[in-house]
Short mmCIF file of all heavy atoms in Angstrom, two decimals:
data_model
loop_
_atom_site.label_atom_id
_atom_site.label_comp_id
_atom_site.label_asym_id
_atom_site.label_seq_id
_atom_site.Cartn_x
_atom_site.Cartn_y
_atom_site.Cartn_z
N MET X 112 -37.80 -20.85 -70.66
CA MET X 112 -37.16 -20.03 -69.52
C MET X 112 -36.48 -18.90 -70.04
O MET X 112 -36.55 -17.84 -69.34
CB MET X 112 -36.26 -20.87 -68.78
CG MET X 112 -36.73 -21.32 -67.56
SD MET X 112 -35.73 -21.40 -66.08
CE MET X 112 -36.11 -23.10 -65.82
N ASP X 113 -35.90 -18.81 -71.12
CA ASP X 113 -35.20 -17.68 -71.61
C ASP X 113 -36.17 -16.52 -71.98
O ASP X 113 -35.81 -15.31 -72.05
CB ASP X 113 -34.33 -17.94 -72.87
CG ASP X 113 -33.23 -18.94 -72.52
OD1 ASP X 113 -32.72 -18.82 -71.32
OD2 ASP X 113 -32.74 -19.73 -73.33
N GLU X 114 -37.41 -16.95 -72.23
CA GLU X 114 -38.45 -15.89 -72.52
C GLU X 114 -38.71 -14.97 -71.36
O GLU X 114 -39.13 -13.77 -71.66
CB GLU X 114 -39.72 -16.59 -73.02
CG GLU X 114 -39.52 -17.36 -74.29
CD GLU X 114 -40.72 -18.11 -74.73
OE1 GLU X 114 -41.75 -17.97 -74.08
OE2 GLU X 114 -40.59 -18.89 -75.66
N SER X 115 -38.59 -15.35 -70.22
CA SER X 115 -38.99 -14.55 -69.03
C SER X 115 -37.92 -13.63 -68.60
O SER X 115 -38.08 -12.62 -68.01
CB SER X 115 -39.23 -15.48 -67.80
OG SER X 115 -38.06 -16.14 -67.38
N ARG X 116 -36.66 -13.69 -69.27
CA ARG X 116 -35.59 -12.93 -69.04
C ARG X 116 -35.18 -12.05 -70.18
O ARG X 116 -34.04 -11.60 -70.47
CB ARG X 116 -34.34 -13.72 -68.65
CG ARG X 116 -34.59 -14.35 -67.26
CD ARG X 116 -33.29 -14.96 -66.86
NE ARG X 116 -33.50 -15.69 -65.47
CZ ARG X 116 -32.54 -16.25 -64.74
NH1 ARG X 116 -31.33 -15.96 -65.16
NH2 ARG X 116 -32.72 -16.75 -63.70
N GLN X 117 -36.29 -11.65 -70.99
CA GLN X 117 -35.93 -10.72 -72.11
C GLN X 117 -35.63 -9.32 -71.66
O GLN X 117 -36.21 -8.86 -70.67
CB GLN X 117 -37.15 -10.78 -73.09
CG GLN X 117 -37.29 -11.96 -73.73
CD GLN X 117 -38.54 -12.11 -74.68
OE1 GLN X 117 -39.27 -11.03 -74.65
NE2 GLN X 117 -38.72 -13.10 -75.46
N SER X 118 -34.80 -8.58 -72.36
CA SER X 118 -34.57 -7.23 -71.98
C SER X 118 -35.86 -6.42 -72.30
O SER X 118 -36.49 -6.61 -73.34
CB SER X 118 -33.32 -6.69 -72.93
OG SER X 118 -33.65 -6.81 -74.27
N PRO X 119 -36.08 -5.44 -71.53
CA PRO X 119 -37.21 -4.66 -71.71
C PRO X 119 -37.21 -3.78 -72.88
O PRO X 119 -36.19 -3.36 -73.35
CB PRO X 119 -37.39 -3.73 -70.59
CG PRO X 119 -36.10 -3.83 -69.84
CD PRO X 119 -35.40 -5.02 -70.27
N SER X 120 -38.27 -3.81 -73.69
CA SER X 120 -38.25 -3.04 -74.81
C SER X 120 -39.57 -2.24 -75.04
O SER X 120 -40.47 -2.51 -74.32
CB SER X 120 -38.03 -3.90 -76.16
OG SER X 120 -39.23 -4.93 -76.14
N GLY X 121 -39.51 -1.28 -75.88
CA GLY X 121 -40.72 -0.48 -76.07
C GLY X 121 -40.85 0.87 -75.22
O GLY X 121 -39.66 1.41 -74.95
N ALA X 122 -41.89 1.22 -74.94
CA ALA X 122 -42.20 2.55 -74.22
C ALA X 122 -41.57 2.45 -72.75
O ALA X 122 -41.13 3.47 -72.27
CB ALA X 122 -43.55 3.09 -74.34
N GLY X 123 -41.70 1.41 -72.07
CA GLY X 123 -41.19 1.33 -70.80
C GLY X 123 -39.78 1.45 -70.65
O GLY X 123 -39.30 2.14 -69.67
N ALA X 124 -39.06 0.83 -71.46
CA ALA X 124 -37.54 1.12 -71.53
C ALA X 124 -37.06 2.48 -71.76
O ALA X 124 -36.28 3.00 -71.24
CB ALA X 124 -36.84 0.12 -72.46
N ALA X 125 -37.77 3.07 -72.80
CA ALA X 125 -37.49 4.46 -73.19
C ALA X 125 -37.93 5.40 -72.08
O ALA X 125 -37.13 6.38 -71.80
CB ALA X 125 -38.24 4.78 -74.42
N LEU X 126 -38.81 5.21 -71.38
CA LEU X 126 -39.25 5.99 -70.22
C LEU X 126 -38.25 5.80 -69.07
O LEU X 126 -37.93 6.81 -68.41
CB LEU X 126 -40.75 5.61 -69.77
CG LEU X 126 -41.10 6.46 -68.48
CD1 LEU X 126 -41.31 7.88 -69.05
CD2 LEU X 126 -42.59 5.98 -68.03
N ARG X 127 -37.88 4.69 -68.81
CA ARG X 127 -36.81 4.47 -67.84
C ARG X 127 -35.50 5.21 -68.09
O ARG X 127 -34.85 5.67 -67.19
CB ARG X 127 -36.66 3.10 -67.38
CG ARG X 127 -37.60 2.56 -66.56
CD ARG X 127 -37.40 1.10 -66.23
NE ARG X 127 -38.25 0.43 -67.31
CZ ARG X 127 -38.50 -0.83 -67.27
NH1 ARG X 127 -38.03 -1.54 -66.24
NH2 ARG X 127 -39.24 -1.22 -68.17
N THR X 128 -35.05 5.20 -69.30
CA THR X 128 -33.75 5.80 -69.65
C THR X 128 -33.82 7.31 -69.76
O THR X 128 -32.89 8.04 -69.74
CB THR X 128 -33.21 5.10 -70.96
OG1 THR X 128 -34.24 5.44 -72.01
CG2 THR X 128 -33.03 3.77 -70.79
N ALA X 129 -35.07 7.79 -70.05
CA ALA X 129 -35.34 9.26 -70.27
C ALA X 129 -35.53 10.06 -68.91
O ALA X 129 -35.25 11.22 -68.83
CB ALA X 129 -36.49 9.50 -71.16
N VAL X 130 -35.81 9.39 -67.82
CA VAL X 130 -36.03 10.01 -66.55
C VAL X 130 -34.66 10.12 -65.89
O VAL X 130 -33.95 9.13 -65.74
CB VAL X 130 -36.97 9.12 -65.71
CG1 VAL X 130 -37.12 9.72 -64.25
CG2 VAL X 130 -38.33 9.12 -66.48
N PRO X 131 -34.32 11.29 -65.42
CA PRO X 131 -33.07 11.41 -64.61
C PRO X 131 -33.09 10.85 -63.35
O PRO X 131 -34.16 10.53 -62.79
CB PRO X 131 -32.81 12.98 -64.47
CG PRO X 131 -34.21 13.48 -64.69
CD PRO X 131 -35.00 12.58 -65.61
N PRO X 132 -32.00 10.41 -62.77
CA PRO X 132 -32.01 9.74 -61.39
C PRO X 132 -32.56 10.65 -60.36
O PRO X 132 -32.40 11.98 -60.43
CB PRO X 132 -30.45 9.51 -61.13
CG PRO X 132 -29.76 9.90 -62.31
CD PRO X 132 -30.60 10.55 -63.27
N PRO X 133 -33.27 10.13 -59.35
CA PRO X 133 -33.86 10.90 -58.31
C PRO X 133 -32.84 11.80 -57.59
O PRO X 133 -33.21 12.86 -57.15
CB PRO X 133 -34.44 9.95 -57.34
CG PRO X 133 -34.60 8.72 -58.12
CD PRO X 133 -33.56 8.80 -59.20
N ALA X 134 -31.57 11.30 -57.36
CA ALA X 134 -30.60 12.15 -56.69
C ALA X 134 -30.34 13.45 -57.49
O ALA X 134 -30.15 14.52 -56.91
CB ALA X 134 -29.34 11.33 -56.49
N LEU X 135 -30.21 13.46 -58.81
CA LEU X 135 -30.08 14.52 -59.60
C LEU X 135 -31.17 15.50 -59.50
O LEU X 135 -31.05 16.64 -59.35
CB LEU X 135 -29.82 14.20 -61.04
CG LEU X 135 -29.62 15.33 -62.18
CD1 LEU X 135 -28.36 16.04 -61.68
CD2 LEU X 135 -29.58 14.86 -63.54
N CYS X 136 -32.43 14.95 -59.47
CA CYS X 136 -33.62 15.87 -59.33
C CYS X 136 -33.49 16.59 -57.99
O CYS X 136 -33.74 17.83 -57.79
CB CYS X 136 -34.83 15.08 -59.41
SG CYS X 136 -35.10 14.41 -61.17
N GLY X 137 -33.17 15.88 -56.89
CA GLY X 137 -33.13 16.37 -55.58
C GLY X 137 -32.03 17.38 -55.56
O GLY X 137 -32.32 18.47 -54.88
N PHE X 138 -30.89 17.16 -56.09
CA PHE X 138 -29.78 18.18 -56.05
C PHE X 138 -30.27 19.52 -56.76
O PHE X 138 -29.97 20.58 -56.28
CB PHE X 138 -28.60 17.52 -56.73
CG PHE X 138 -27.46 18.70 -56.91
CD1 PHE X 138 -26.76 19.03 -55.89
CD2 PHE X 138 -27.17 19.05 -58.18
CE1 PHE X 138 -25.64 19.91 -56.03
CE2 PHE X 138 -26.29 20.04 -58.33
CZ PHE X 138 -25.48 20.42 -57.29
N LEU X 139 -30.87 19.36 -57.93
CA LEU X 139 -31.22 20.56 -58.68
C LEU X 139 -32.38 21.30 -57.88
O LEU X 139 -32.37 22.56 -57.93
CB LEU X 139 -31.72 20.16 -60.08
CG LEU X 139 -30.69 19.71 -61.06
CD1 LEU X 139 -31.33 19.21 -62.33
CD2 LEU X 139 -29.58 20.65 -61.26
N LEU X 140 -33.30 20.66 -57.33
CA LEU X 140 -34.22 21.19 -56.49
C LEU X 140 -33.66 22.01 -55.28
O LEU X 140 -34.06 23.12 -55.04
CB LEU X 140 -35.31 20.23 -56.00
CG LEU X 140 -36.48 20.81 -55.17
CD1 LEU X 140 -37.31 21.75 -55.94
CD2 LEU X 140 -37.27 19.68 -54.49
N LEU X 141 -32.66 21.38 -54.60
CA LEU X 141 -32.00 22.04 -53.56
C LEU X 141 -31.18 23.17 -54.08
O LEU X 141 -31.20 24.18 -53.26
CB LEU X 141 -31.11 20.96 -52.90
CG LEU X 141 -30.31 21.65 -51.63
CD1 LEU X 141 -31.26 21.89 -50.51
CD2 LEU X 141 -29.31 20.44 -51.17
N LEU X 142 -30.54 23.10 -55.17
CA LEU X 142 -29.78 24.26 -55.69
C LEU X 142 -30.76 25.39 -56.01
O LEU X 142 -30.36 26.54 -55.71
CB LEU X 142 -29.14 23.78 -57.02
CG LEU X 142 -28.10 24.72 -57.66
CD1 LEU X 142 -26.89 24.91 -56.75
CD2 LEU X 142 -27.74 24.25 -58.91
N ALA X 143 -31.87 25.14 -56.50
CA ALA X 143 -32.83 26.22 -56.93
C ALA X 143 -33.34 26.96 -55.59
O ALA X 143 -33.46 28.11 -55.51
CB ALA X 143 -34.02 25.74 -57.70
N LEU X 144 -33.63 26.04 -54.63
CA LEU X 144 -33.98 26.54 -53.32
C LEU X 144 -33.05 27.39 -52.72
O LEU X 144 -33.36 28.57 -52.16
CB LEU X 144 -34.43 25.43 -52.34
CG LEU X 144 -34.97 25.77 -51.08
CD1 LEU X 144 -36.31 26.42 -51.08
CD2 LEU X 144 -34.92 24.54 -50.13
N LEU X 145 -31.74 27.07 -52.68
CA LEU X 145 -30.69 27.87 -52.13
C LEU X 145 -30.51 29.01 -52.88
O LEU X 145 -30.18 30.23 -52.29
CB LEU X 145 -29.44 27.08 -52.07
CG LEU X 145 -29.32 25.97 -50.89
CD1 LEU X 145 -28.07 25.22 -51.01
CD2 LEU X 145 -29.50 26.57 -49.50
N PHE X 146 -30.61 29.05 -54.13
CA PHE X 146 -30.50 30.30 -54.97
C PHE X 146 -31.58 31.30 -54.54
O PHE X 146 -31.38 32.59 -54.36
CB PHE X 146 -30.54 29.99 -56.47
CG PHE X 146 -30.41 31.29 -57.32
CD1 PHE X 146 -29.24 31.84 -57.54
CD2 PHE X 146 -31.61 31.62 -57.81
CE1 PHE X 146 -29.26 33.01 -58.33
CE2 PHE X 146 -31.55 32.81 -58.60
CZ PHE X 146 -30.50 33.59 -58.89
N THR X 147 -32.74 30.87 -54.44
CA THR X 147 -33.91 31.63 -54.21
C THR X 147 -33.84 32.20 -52.75
O THR X 147 -34.00 33.36 -52.61
CB THR X 147 -35.15 30.89 -54.37
OG1 THR X 147 -35.30 30.33 -55.57
CG2 THR X 147 -36.48 31.68 -54.05
N LEU X 148 -33.35 31.52 -51.76
CA LEU X 148 -33.19 32.00 -50.40
C LEU X 148 -32.09 32.99 -50.41
O LEU X 148 -32.21 34.06 -49.76
CB LEU X 148 -32.79 30.65 -49.53
CG LEU X 148 -32.58 31.16 -48.06
CD1 LEU X 148 -33.91 31.67 -47.48
CD2 LEU X 148 -32.07 29.84 -47.24
N SER X 149 -30.90 32.79 -51.12
CA SER X 149 -29.86 33.78 -51.06
C SER X 149 -30.18 35.07 -51.75
O SER X 149 -29.92 36.09 -51.30
CB SER X 149 -28.63 33.10 -51.69
OG SER X 149 -28.85 32.93 -52.91
N TYR X 150 -30.98 34.97 -52.86
CA TYR X 150 -31.51 36.09 -53.55
C TYR X 150 -32.42 37.01 -52.58
O TYR X 150 -32.23 38.23 -52.57
CB TYR X 150 -32.25 35.70 -54.78
CG TYR X 150 -32.64 36.91 -55.62
CD1 TYR X 150 -31.64 37.45 -56.47
CD2 TYR X 150 -33.97 37.50 -55.52
CE1 TYR X 150 -32.08 38.59 -57.21
CE2 TYR X 150 -34.29 38.49 -56.23
CZ TYR X 150 -33.35 39.13 -57.12
OH TYR X 150 -33.78 40.29 -57.85
N ALA X 151 -33.22 36.24 -51.83
CA ALA X 151 -34.21 37.03 -51.01
C ALA X 151 -33.46 37.61 -49.80
O ALA X 151 -33.69 38.74 -49.50
CB ALA X 151 -35.25 36.02 -50.39
N VAL X 152 -32.48 37.03 -49.29
CA VAL X 152 -31.67 37.48 -48.23
C VAL X 152 -30.91 38.79 -48.71
O VAL X 152 -30.87 39.82 -48.07
CB VAL X 152 -30.74 36.51 -47.66
CG1 VAL X 152 -29.76 37.21 -46.70
CG2 VAL X 152 -31.55 35.47 -46.84
N GLY X 153 -30.39 38.65 -49.96
CA GLY X 153 -29.62 39.72 -50.54
C GLY X 153 -30.47 40.93 -50.78
O GLY X 153 -30.20 42.11 -50.62
N ALA X 154 -31.76 40.70 -51.22
CA ALA X 154 -32.62 41.80 -51.58
C ALA X 154 -33.17 42.40 -50.30
O ALA X 154 -33.21 43.62 -50.21
CB ALA X 154 -33.80 41.19 -52.36
N ALA X 155 -33.13 41.66 -49.21
CA ALA X 155 -33.65 42.24 -47.95
C ALA X 155 -32.59 43.01 -47.36
O ALA X 155 -32.87 44.05 -46.67
CB ALA X 155 -34.11 41.10 -47.02
N ALA X 156 -31.25 42.56 -47.47
CA ALA X 156 -30.13 43.38 -46.85
C ALA X 156 -29.78 44.63 -47.49
O ALA X 156 -29.34 45.51 -46.95
CB ALA X 156 -28.88 42.40 -46.93
N GLY X 157 -30.18 44.77 -48.90
CA GLY X 157 -29.97 45.99 -49.47
C GLY X 157 -28.44 46.09 -50.09
O GLY X 157 -27.68 45.14 -50.03
N PRO X 158 -28.07 47.32 -50.45
CA PRO X 158 -26.80 47.52 -50.98
C PRO X 158 -25.65 47.34 -49.85
O PRO X 158 -25.96 47.64 -48.70
CB PRO X 158 -26.74 48.94 -51.52
CG PRO X 158 -28.06 49.57 -51.19
CD PRO X 158 -29.00 48.47 -50.63
N VAL X 159 -24.55 46.80 -50.29
CA VAL X 159 -23.38 46.69 -49.23
C VAL X 159 -22.63 47.85 -48.94
O VAL X 159 -21.87 47.86 -48.11
CB VAL X 159 -22.59 45.39 -49.77
CG1 VAL X 159 -23.39 44.25 -49.69
CG2 VAL X 159 -22.05 45.68 -51.06
N ALA X 160 -22.65 48.83 -49.90
CA ALA X 160 -21.87 50.01 -49.64
C ALA X 160 -22.76 51.17 -49.63
O ALA X 160 -23.64 51.30 -50.34
CB ALA X 160 -20.88 50.14 -50.88
N PRO X 161 -22.49 52.16 -48.68
CA PRO X 161 -23.20 53.39 -48.67
C PRO X 161 -23.19 54.13 -49.96
O PRO X 161 -21.92 54.34 -50.58
CB PRO X 161 -22.50 54.17 -47.45
CG PRO X 161 -21.57 53.34 -46.85
CD PRO X 161 -21.30 52.21 -47.71
N GLY X 162 -24.30 54.61 -50.42
CA GLY X 162 -24.32 55.47 -51.55
C GLY X 162 -24.38 54.65 -52.87
O GLY X 162 -24.34 55.20 -53.92
N MET X 163 -24.45 53.36 -52.71
CA MET X 163 -24.53 52.48 -53.94
C MET X 163 -25.92 52.43 -54.33
O MET X 163 -26.82 51.90 -53.74
CB MET X 163 -23.93 51.13 -53.62
CG MET X 163 -24.00 50.14 -54.77
SD MET X 163 -23.24 48.66 -54.29
CE MET X 163 -21.67 48.64 -55.09
N HIS X 164 -26.20 52.86 -55.56
CA HIS X 164 -27.65 52.79 -56.12
C HIS X 164 -27.57 52.19 -57.60
O HIS X 164 -27.55 52.97 -58.51
CB HIS X 164 -28.23 54.22 -56.09
CG HIS X 164 -28.22 54.92 -54.85
ND1 HIS X 164 -29.16 54.52 -53.88
CD2 HIS X 164 -27.47 55.90 -54.39
CE1 HIS X 164 -28.85 55.35 -52.71
NE2 HIS X 164 -27.90 56.15 -53.06
N GLY X 165 -27.55 50.99 -57.66
CA GLY X 165 -27.61 50.34 -58.86
C GLY X 165 -26.41 50.45 -59.61
O GLY X 165 -25.33 50.68 -59.06
N THR X 166 -26.45 50.10 -61.07
CA THR X 166 -25.22 50.06 -61.76
C THR X 166 -24.97 51.46 -62.40
O THR X 166 -25.94 52.10 -62.78
CB THR X 166 -25.35 49.13 -62.86
OG1 THR X 166 -26.47 49.36 -63.55
CG2 THR X 166 -25.43 47.56 -62.34
N GLY X 167 -23.84 51.96 -62.34
CA GLY X 167 -23.53 53.22 -63.03
C GLY X 167 -22.78 53.06 -64.39
O GLY X 167 -22.68 51.99 -64.85
N THR X 168 -22.53 54.23 -65.01
CA THR X 168 -21.94 54.10 -66.28
C THR X 168 -20.38 54.27 -66.22
O THR X 168 -19.75 54.29 -67.27
CB THR X 168 -22.46 55.21 -67.18
OG1 THR X 168 -22.29 56.51 -66.59
CG2 THR X 168 -23.95 55.14 -67.42
N GLY X 169 -19.85 54.36 -65.15
CA GLY X 169 -18.45 54.52 -64.90
C GLY X 169 -18.06 55.98 -64.81
O GLY X 169 -16.86 56.32 -64.57
N ARG X 170 -19.00 56.85 -64.89
CA ARG X 170 -18.71 58.28 -64.77
C ARG X 170 -18.95 58.69 -63.36
O ARG X 170 -19.87 58.11 -62.57
CB ARG X 170 -19.46 59.06 -65.61
CG ARG X 170 -19.16 58.74 -67.14
CD ARG X 170 -19.98 59.68 -68.11
NE ARG X 170 -19.90 59.11 -69.54
CZ ARG X 170 -20.86 59.04 -70.34
NH1 ARG X 170 -22.02 59.57 -70.05
NH2 ARG X 170 -20.66 58.61 -71.53
N GLY X 171 -18.40 59.75 -62.86
CA GLY X 171 -18.72 60.31 -61.45
C GLY X 171 -20.14 60.84 -61.47
O GLY X 171 -20.41 61.65 -62.37
N THR X 172 -20.86 60.50 -60.47
CA THR X 172 -22.26 61.03 -60.46
C THR X 172 -22.36 62.12 -59.48
O THR X 172 -23.46 62.68 -59.29
CB THR X 172 -23.12 59.80 -59.90
OG1 THR X 172 -22.66 59.17 -58.68
CG2 THR X 172 -23.16 58.70 -60.95
N GLY X 173 -21.38 62.47 -58.62
CA GLY X 173 -21.42 63.51 -57.88
C GLY X 173 -21.96 63.18 -56.44
O GLY X 173 -21.90 64.04 -55.49
N ASP X 174 -22.27 61.86 -56.28
CA ASP X 174 -22.78 61.50 -54.89
C ASP X 174 -21.65 60.82 -54.00
O ASP X 174 -21.88 60.25 -52.96
CB ASP X 174 -23.92 60.54 -54.98
CG ASP X 174 -23.75 59.26 -55.63
OD1 ASP X 174 -22.57 59.15 -56.20
OD2 ASP X 174 -24.63 58.46 -55.77
N GLY X 175 -20.49 60.78 -54.60
CA GLY X 175 -19.25 60.18 -53.99
C GLY X 175 -19.24 58.72 -54.22
O GLY X 175 -18.26 58.10 -53.65
N GLY X 176 -20.10 58.20 -54.86
CA GLY X 176 -19.98 56.70 -55.08
C GLY X 176 -19.37 56.24 -56.32
O GLY X 176 -18.80 55.17 -56.45
N GLY X 177 -19.09 57.12 -57.38
CA GLY X 177 -18.42 56.77 -58.50
C GLY X 177 -16.93 57.05 -58.48
O GLY X 177 -16.42 57.85 -57.60
N MET X 178 -16.19 56.31 -59.37
CA MET X 178 -14.70 56.49 -59.33
C MET X 178 -14.25 57.10 -60.65
O MET X 178 -13.21 57.37 -60.79
CB MET X 178 -14.01 54.94 -59.25
CG MET X 178 -14.30 54.22 -57.95
SD MET X 178 -13.11 54.76 -56.70
CE MET X 178 -11.59 54.48 -57.33
N GLY X 179 -15.25 57.45 -61.38
CA GLY X 179 -14.92 58.09 -62.72
C GLY X 179 -14.34 59.44 -62.69
O GLY X 179 -13.63 59.90 -63.55
N ASP X 180 -14.52 60.11 -61.52
CA ASP X 180 -14.02 61.57 -61.49
C ASP X 180 -12.62 61.65 -61.11
O ASP X 180 -11.93 62.69 -61.16
CB ASP X 180 -14.93 62.41 -60.56
CG ASP X 180 -15.01 61.83 -59.14
OD1 ASP X 180 -14.45 60.65 -58.88
OD2 ASP X 180 -15.52 62.46 -58.20
N GLY X 181 -12.01 60.53 -60.71
CA GLY X 181 -10.55 60.49 -60.30
C GLY X 181 -10.27 60.89 -58.91
O GLY X 181 -9.34 60.38 -58.32
N GLY X 182 -11.00 61.71 -58.32
CA GLY X 182 -10.83 62.19 -56.92
C GLY X 182 -9.40 62.79 -56.80
O GLY X 182 -8.91 63.60 -57.53
N ASP X 183 -8.74 62.42 -55.72
CA ASP X 183 -7.44 62.84 -55.40
C ASP X 183 -6.49 61.71 -55.51
O ASP X 183 -5.37 61.64 -54.74
CB ASP X 183 -7.31 63.44 -53.98
CG ASP X 183 -8.14 64.62 -53.81
OD1 ASP X 183 -8.22 65.46 -54.88
OD2 ASP X 183 -8.68 64.91 -52.77
N MET X 184 -6.64 60.85 -56.48
CA MET X 184 -5.71 59.74 -56.67
C MET X 184 -4.37 60.14 -57.05
O MET X 184 -3.34 59.43 -56.69
CB MET X 184 -6.26 58.70 -57.74
CG MET X 184 -7.60 57.98 -57.32
SD MET X 184 -7.43 56.99 -55.87
CE MET X 184 -6.45 55.63 -56.54
N GLY X 185 -4.08 61.22 -57.77
CA GLY X 185 -2.81 61.64 -58.13
C GLY X 185 -1.97 61.97 -56.98
O GLY X 185 -0.69 61.82 -57.02
N GLN X 186 -2.48 62.46 -55.92
CA GLN X 186 -1.74 62.90 -54.78
C GLN X 186 -1.20 61.80 -53.92
O GLN X 186 -0.32 61.86 -53.21
CB GLN X 186 -2.48 63.98 -53.91
CG GLN X 186 -2.77 65.24 -54.55
CD GLN X 186 -3.44 66.18 -53.66
OE1 GLN X 186 -3.61 65.93 -52.49
NE2 GLN X 186 -3.99 67.36 -54.30
N LEU X 187 -1.87 60.58 -54.11
CA LEU X 187 -1.37 59.43 -53.39
C LEU X 187 -0.08 58.92 -53.80
O LEU X 187 0.76 58.47 -53.08
CB LEU X 187 -2.37 58.29 -53.45
CG LEU X 187 -3.64 58.58 -52.63
CD1 LEU X 187 -4.60 57.37 -53.01
CD2 LEU X 187 -3.45 58.72 -51.21
N HIS X 188 0.20 58.98 -55.23
CA HIS X 188 1.38 58.51 -55.76
C HIS X 188 2.43 59.64 -55.94
O HIS X 188 3.64 59.36 -55.87
CB HIS X 188 1.10 57.88 -57.14
CG HIS X 188 0.15 56.76 -56.98
ND1 HIS X 188 0.43 55.50 -56.34
CD2 HIS X 188 -1.13 56.54 -57.37
CE1 HIS X 188 -0.50 54.73 -56.40
NE2 HIS X 188 -1.54 55.33 -57.00
N GLY X 189 2.12 60.77 -56.35
CA GLY X 189 3.00 61.82 -56.84
C GLY X 189 3.52 62.73 -55.67
O GLY X 189 4.56 63.17 -55.59
N GLY X 190 2.50 62.98 -54.64
CA GLY X 190 2.94 63.92 -53.62
C GLY X 190 3.12 65.33 -54.11
O GLY X 190 2.19 65.90 -54.74
N SER X 191 4.32 65.94 -54.02
CA SER X 191 4.47 67.35 -54.34
C SER X 191 5.40 67.46 -55.51
O SER X 191 6.24 68.41 -55.59
CB SER X 191 5.04 68.16 -53.08
OG SER X 191 6.27 67.50 -52.79
N HIS X 192 5.34 66.62 -56.36
CA HIS X 192 6.26 66.65 -57.65
C HIS X 192 5.93 67.86 -58.38
O HIS X 192 5.30 68.26 -59.02
CB HIS X 192 6.09 65.42 -58.39
CG HIS X 192 6.96 64.27 -57.97
ND1 HIS X 192 7.05 63.82 -56.74
CD2 HIS X 192 7.61 63.41 -58.42
CE1 HIS X 192 7.84 62.97 -56.50
NE2 HIS X 192 8.11 62.44 -57.60
#
């Protein structure tokens, strides 16, 4: 009788321990689907700020989108010193 209750050994046991749980596979599939969907919606919506065209180098580009030129920031704090 003890022979029928032996622990599984061999390739069958190794295969069962190597396969991730189905809930984990479903979660990863859902995560990938949501990422793809959000990327597609973001690409369709376009830039969120007017004049934003990709990544800049931090220097003023002359189109009003860069902060590197400083603008009139000194007058906000100093006034007429």
Side-chain angles (χ1 to χ4, degrees):
M112 255 219 230
D113 291 333
E114 293 174 10
S115 64
R116 294 187 182 195
Q117 290 179 352
S118 63
S120 62
L126 180 62
R127 274 179 272 195
T128 60
V130 175
L135 179 63
C136 292
F138 172 74
L139 292 176
L140 182 65
L141 182 63
L142 189 66
L144 178 69
L145 286 176
F146 176 78
T147 304
L148 182 66
S149 66
Y150 185 83
V152 168
V159 294
M163 183 181 246
H164 301 288
T166 59
T168 59
R170 299 182 191 142
T172 57
D174 62 357
M178 293 283 295
D180 59 352
D183 291 326
M184 293 296 290
Q186 293 185 12
L187 291 176
H188 299 289
S191 60
H192 280 37

